[in-house]
Amino acid sequence: MSRPGKILFLLHAHLPFVRHPDYKRFYEENWLFEAVTESYLPLVQSMRRLLEKGVPGKLNLSVSPPLIEMLRDESLVSKISGHLQRQLELAEREVARFKDGPQATLARFYLDRQRALVDTWENRIGRDLLGEFKSLEIAGKLNLLTCVGTHPFLPAYQSDPASIRMHLDATVACFESAFGRKPEGVWLPECGYFPGLERYLAEYGLHYFFLETHGVLLASPPPKYGVFTPLRTPSGLYCMGREQASSMEVWSRRTGYPGHPEYREFFKDIASERERAYLGEYFYSGDTPIDTGFKYYRITGSEQKEFYRPWNAMHLVQDHARLFVANREATLSDLIPKMGGNKAALLCPYDAELFGHWWFEGPLFLEAMLERAAASSVLEFAGADEVMTSSADPDAHEPAFSSWGEGGFASVWINPETEQYYPQSYRMRSRIDLLKGKISSVQDTDVRSLMDRYVRQMERELMLFQASDWAFMIHNHSTEGYARRRLESHYLGVESLFGEACVVLAESQEKNLNEIEIPVLTELESNDNIFKDCL
């Protein structure tokens, strides 16, 4: 029986497109390996256990286009398998290293866990996470939606409609290629919204999106029920804002569940404790050790960390899951009588990588949360495709400019450290438009086909340049050097492609195309191959 209150628990799964096939081991590719082994595979394992037990309820999973592209890239999929195997070998060495005591117990725990991860990846899902996500959606445990393009901060490009549409073209095509249907809803990158954006979303058949709290609360006219029901926009789409209480219970550094002293400490990996010869070169980048994923301490609350106790943490996560559901029941029990009885809903959005990577026990929390909610008479964890179709508020509302970044607006992505890159983006767009103008009168179909390849690759470079991840890294001074190198490489990529295309156009008047060299296009099509089947 359907319960009157709905929880939209949304996991946003996104990573920047990082692919370096010329390197056997590239440090930034480890972001993907960690997310797969620590978050996505444990999520799949938890959902499968719930399905086997017949536990109702579903989670919403936003899978970004760059993540989709990486999860079906053969070179990266092969590297994920290699990563899991290297971790397994290290886990076996750890078991041999300790004969007794708490470290021996933890080493055995990690070995058993690693074997289960390898089995899930290699045998149970056949290295196909996207296929498994689709299967879990069909089985009723996930509701899949997507994100926009390469994850651009869209308010920065509101005067560049061509770029917004370019990203949306790739969004819909990429999702449909991966999951066999068009997306119903979309996670706006960084929850970045500007008035009028919904009209672009409507052009592409999208029906709903999500916002930070104040994007809804500051809507015009003010919403009757705040963030507690979907809002209908002037274009007929629906949106919802984040419910803050549920967010703070998980996200808060001071009071959030993941900070409990019994949970595993993220920042003490054995990579900083073992000898280089013992770890092996795989777990090094230059002279810097790379986290292995094996961590032996709990948060504890002091510099003198105590050994992690997995079974205590698993018991605690049950308590936190019950508390989370009970608090949502209390909120909805208060709201439902005031909102027509059956239109109350809460949006609880989080980065997917929080659960497992940052908060080791997170996937078990999700599992326990759905198990506890199964006994509720007040709420159910529901899919956004079903909930985001109506509202308790009869009016149409224009959401306000907003983001979920620090400060709530645009300063994370547009600031003195990053402002130089936005004029470059518009210059790249002008190069694309100029080349399109040059080839508009080309009659030779072979030449025109080649020029279309140049345009598509220039668009790929522009989309990769516009990813919000780079500005975020620069702002936070986290892998800032890599972010700036990526911005420079994509900018120079467009300049080089434009220059080579102009040369090819001129030479095609006197030579056969097979006599003309195109090294820039060939290299960039191979290396920056995002959306190769979507553009």
Side-chain angles (χ1 to χ4, degrees):
M1 183 178 71
S2 178
R3 284 69 175 267
K6 310 299 182 187
I7 302 292
L8 297 185
F9 200 98
L10 172 58
L11 303 176
H12 174 46
H14 166 69
L15 293 170
F17 187 78
V18 177
R19 177 182 179 274
H20 296 276
D22 294 340
Y23 293 84
K24 289 183 179 180
R25 180 72 159 138
F26 197 89
Y27 174 78
E28 282 77 14
E29 286 182 345
N30 211 59
W31 300 337
L32 174 64
F33 308 156
E34 288 178 332
V36 169
T37 59
E38 298 174 7
S39 292
Y40 309 151
L41 287 178
L43 172 64
V44 163
Q45 291 172 329
S46 289
M47 293 299 101
R48 281 293 169 189
R49 286 193 294 268
L50 290 169
L51 189 61
E52 290 168 4
K53 290 183 282 189
V55 176
K58 65 178 68 174
L59 303 178
N60 297 277
L61 182 65
S62 164
V63 190
S64 77
L67 182 57
I68 290 174
E69 292 289 278
M70 289 189 290
L71 287 176
R72 57 182 180 179
D73 182 272
E74 291 182 5
S75 67
L76 288 172
V77 167
S78 178
K79 287 182 178 182
I80 293 169
S81 290
H83 180 78
L84 282 162
Q85 186 60 38
R86 294 297 184 94
Q87 286 183 309
L88 179 59
E89 293 166 0
L90 180 56
E92 290 170 342
R93 291 200 296 275
E94 285 290 289
V95 168
R97 183 186 182 100
F98 301 106
K99 301 305 180 185
D100 53 36
Q103 288 171 300
T105 302
L106 283 166
R108 172 56 62 179
F109 165 76
Y110 279 125
L111 178 59
D112 292 343
R113 180 179 183 275
Q114 191 66 26
R115 285 172 173 166
L117 289 172
V118 171
D119 181 62
T120 299
W121 171 256
E122 297 288 353
N123 302 320
R124 295 180 181 271
I125 70 172
R127 302 186 179 186
D128 184 8
L129 259 174
L130 298 176
E132 178 66 2
F133 290 158
K134 182 179 178 180
S135 294
L136 287 168
E137 179 175 64
I138 293 170
K141 301 315 298 173
L142 291 180
N143 182 91
L144 297 175
L145 55 146
T146 191
C147 189
V148 177
T150 58
H151 212 264
F153 183 62
L154 292 170
Y157 303 104
Q158 53 189 301
S159 58
D160 183 8
S163 281
I164 294 175
R165 291 189 173 96
M166 174 182 66
H167 282 280
L168 287 169
D169 275 331
T171 298
V172 174
C174 182
F175 186 89
E176 187 173 18
S177 175
F179 299 117
R181 66 172 179 86
K182 294 183 183 298
E184 294 288 319
V186 66
W187 176 264
L188 298 179
E190 319 296 1
C191 283
Y193 181 84
F194 64 89
L197 176 56
E198 47 148 338
R199 293 194 291 273
Y200 295 99
L201 305 180
E203 285 181 28
Y204 288 84
L206 294 162
H207 297 146
Y208 64 86
F209 57 97
F210 301 100
L211 296 174
E212 180 53 289
T213 311
H214 58 285
V216 166
L217 295 182
L218 299 179
S220 179
K224 183 177 181 181
Y225 298 114
V227 298
F228 300 116
T229 188
L231 290 191
R232 181 170 57 86
T233 71
S235 294
L237 278 71
Y238 286 87
C239 68
M240 275 195 76
R242 173 161 59 162
E243 196 266 330
Q244 284 292 324
S246 58
S247 180
M248 291 299 291
E249 287 179 30
V250 177
W251 276 120
S252 172
R253 293 182 180 181
R254 188 172 62 87
T255 61
Y257 304 146
H260 192 284
E262 195 64 51
Y263 288 139
R264 194 182 77 163
E265 171 62 68
F266 175 81
F267 294 102
K268 283 184 71 66
D269 190 278
I270 65 169
S272 62
E273 301 171 350
R274 304 287 186 265
E275 305 84 359
R276 183 167 188 157
Y278 175 84
L279 289 172
E281 290 304 306
Y282 181 80
F283 291 105
Y284 269 81
S285 175
D287 293 327
T288 304
I290 299 174
D291 275 9
T292 66
F294 302 144
K295 307 171 195 288
Y296 283 24
Y297 297 94
R298 52 194 169 101
I299 292 171
T300 309
S302 68
E303 290 302 316
Q304 295 299 115
K305 302 297 182 183
E306 298 178 12
F307 285 117
Y308 179 54
R309 301 181 294 194
W311 298 272
N312 289 39
M314 291 174 192
H315 181 76
L316 178 64
V317 89
Q318 296 282 338
D319 293 339
H320 280 150
R322 286 193 291 270
L323 178 60
F324 183 88
V325 173
N327 288 341
R328 306 292 79 72
E329 286 178 321
T331 299
L332 287 166
S333 294
D334 181 59
L335 287 169
I336 288 167
K338 305 171 184 176
M339 298 179 62
N342 62 358
K343 299 291 186 181
L346 305 178
L347 171 64
C348 308
Y350 309 92
D351 285 337
E353 297 76 26
L354 168 66
F355 298 89
H357 175 59
W358 297 104
W359 182 16
F360 181 66
E361 298 80 9
L364 295 178
F365 170 83
L366 299 177
E367 187 175 346
M369 178 184 71
L370 289 178
E371 287 181 324
R372 170 61 185 85
S376 175
S377 61
V378 176
L379 61 79
E380 62 181 337
F381 283 74
D385 284 4
E386 295 81 37
V387 174
M388 300 291 291
T389 58
S390 61
S391 175
D393 186 334
D395 296 328
H397 303 266
E398 175 62 71
F401 182 99
S402 54
S403 83
W404 77 343
E406 178 186 346
F409 295 99
S411 61
V412 171
W413 302 279
I414 304 174
N415 54 64
E417 292 182 294
T418 64
E419 61 187 9
Q420 69 190 78
Y421 297 110
Y422 294 98
Q424 289 183 344
S425 173
Y426 285 92
R427 179 178 173 85
M428 294 162 78
R429 165 58 58 193
S430 71
R431 289 298 202 196
I432 293 170
D433 292 341
L434 184 56
L435 183 58
K436 286 180 177 180
K438 285 179 177 291
I439 64 178
S440 60
S441 59
V442 172
Q443 299 299 316
D444 187 300
T445 55
D446 291 335
V447 174
R448 192 175 187 89
S449 178
L450 178 59
M451 289 298 107
D452 286 341
R453 283 173 56 193
Y454 275 100
V455 169
R456 288 194 298 273
Q457 190 58 40
M458 290 168 74
E459 290 178 335
R460 290 187 189 98
E461 300 297 329
L462 176 55
M463 281 193 284
L464 289 168
F465 180 94
Q466 291 175 336
S468 68
D469 309 273
W470 317 131
F472 181 83
M473 293 174 194
I474 292 169
H475 174 74
N476 285 354
H477 304 289
S478 172
T479 57
E480 178 181 354
Y482 179 74
R484 291 191 185 277
R485 289 194 298 274
R486 285 293 300 269
L487 286 163
E488 181 181 14
S489 71
H490 297 307
Y491 176 74
L492 293 177
V494 167
E495 290 292 303
S496 299
L497 286 164
F498 178 77
E500 185 174 271
C502 290
V503 171
V504 170
L505 268 178
E507 290 184 347
S508 67
Q509 304 298 314
E510 302 174 358
K511 299 180 181 179
N512 293 324
L513 280 184
N514 57 12
E515 297 175 352
I516 301 175
E517 295 183 353
I518 52 172
V520 175
L521 178 62
T522 302
E523 179 181 2
L524 291 179
E525 281 184 329
S526 175
N527 291 341
D528 297 339
N529 67 345
I530 193 171
F531 307 137
K532 62 182 179 182
D533 299 320
C534 303
L535 291 177

